[in-house]
Amino acid sequence: MGIVTQPQALKEAPLGQGDRARFFRAPRQRDLECLTARFRSHVYAPHSHDTFVVGIIEAGCETYRLRGERHYAGPGDLCFVNPGDVHDGEPFGDAYAYRMTYPTVSLLEALAEDAGEKRSSGALHFPVGRVRDPELAAAFAAAHRSAEGRTDALESDERLHRVFTALIRRHATGAPTPATIDDEPGPIRRAIAYLDAHFSEDVDLETLAVAAGVPRTRLIRAMKRQTGLTPHAFLTDRRVRAARALLAGGETPAAVAAACGFYDQSHLNRAFKARIGVTPGAFRRP
């Protein structure tokens, strides 16, 4: 037994019949390692990581031993393993499905400091290995799917950033107190100006925060407070406004989707109908 990466842990005990696993990375989150899996017979040997392990059980039940205690994690449970903690894992019953991430110590410390705008008060640590937090479990699942699928950079970044800072704030020790957010007219004006100028591009959260001149957490919270929209929601709304003008001028939905930063026509259709009430094709001037 030793410290291993998640792919190594899977390789040491090959998948059996009925098992499936997909490993991927979120490159803009310091190559955050992610796993989605469904295990019917797979049994992890005792091992540890030099990263944190943060995830949720989506279906079934996983049983595992952590810090000398046997755990049984079911649907909606949030699970935490600290770096160096030895643990195993196997199905309890027929099977279980889960979504996991393996954030590095430096990533979570950076997020904690960004949220508090000062250094953390000590080493970050999740004192409880399994918790019930339905709101955050749902947010984690949505962020994980966003990182796995085809979504805007800003949407994926924003979801992951918000869920990890909330997980740290609610369930970790050693995190700084969140900074008080006052009105930020200057930074928000700069963020809006940047999105107005770059709405057709795949803007990421770090770039937008640099343009605004404030940390990422502060930008998300201040923009929501002052405009009623998060940065990604504002960007989508800005794209729809541009799309509306082009459609009114007779441009085709396919051309408009490409011109306004939507990754395909169905992406445009969903965003447009949610805000305008009709599809781009129905709105377009013949």
Side-chain angles (χ1 to χ4, degrees), residues 26-69:
R28 290 181 307 281
Q29 306 298 324
R30 303 193 185 187
D31 275 341
L32 172 68
E33 296 179 348
C34 306
L35 175 71
T36 177
R38 182 182 186 276
F39 293 139
R40 182 179 297 276
S41 59
H42 183 72
V43 177
Y44 282 112
H47 65 285
S48 63
H49 302 274
D50 57 8
T51 67
F52 289 93
V53 181
V54 179
I56 61 164
I57 306 298
E58 291 197 299
C61 181
E62 180 191 16
T63 182
Y64 57 97
R65 184 169 290 279
L66 174 68
R67 301 176 210 151
E69 180 182 352

Side-chain angles (χ1 to χ4, degrees), residues 142-216:
H144 200 279
R145 291 191 180 93
S146 180
E148 182 182 18
R150 188 181 180 188
T151 54
D152 294 331
L154 189 54
E155 178 182 6
S156 179
D157 290 352
E158 189 178 292
R159 285 180 182 273
L160 285 170
H161 188 91
R162 294 179 76 180
V163 77
F164 274 120
T165 52
L167 287 166
I168 292 167
R169 185 174 67 251
R170 294 189 190 183
H171 300 296
T173 60
T177 302
T180 300
I181 301 301
D182 298 318
D183 289 340
E184 299 280 1
I188 298 309
R189 279 199 302 270
R190 291 193 290 273
I192 289 173
Y194 188 91
L195 293 175
D196 279 339
H198 300 273
F199 69 85
S200 64
E201 302 171 17
D202 197 16
V203 179
D204 63 82
L205 184 59
E206 180 64 28
T207 299
L208 185 62
V210 169
V214 292
R216 292 165 294 177

Side-chain angles (χ1 to χ4, degrees), residues 190-276:
R190 291 193 290 273
I192 289 173
Y194 188 91
L195 293 175
D196 279 339
H198 300 273
F199 69 85
S200 64
E201 302 171 17
D202 197 16
V203 179
D204 63 82
L205 184 59
E206 180 64 28
T207 299
L208 185 62
V210 169
V214 292
R216 292 165 294 177
T217 302
R218 187 167 167 182
L219 172 64
I220 294 170
R221 292 168 62 192
M223 195 157 182
K224 173 71 172 178
R225 176 175 173 174
Q226 292 182 49
T227 70
L229 299 171
T230 65
H232 176 254
F234 187 95
L235 175 61
T236 302
D237 189 67
R238 180 64 181 85
R239 287 171 171 170
V240 168
R241 284 187 277 127
R244 181 171 182 158
L246 291 175
L247 290 165
E251 293 286 346
T252 66
V256 169
C260 295
F262 296 99
Y263 50 78
D264 58 22
Q265 191 172 328
S266 64
H267 185 201
L268 166 64
N269 288 348
R270 291 192 300 273
F272 195 90
K273 188 174 181 180
R275 290 160 179 79
I276 307 302

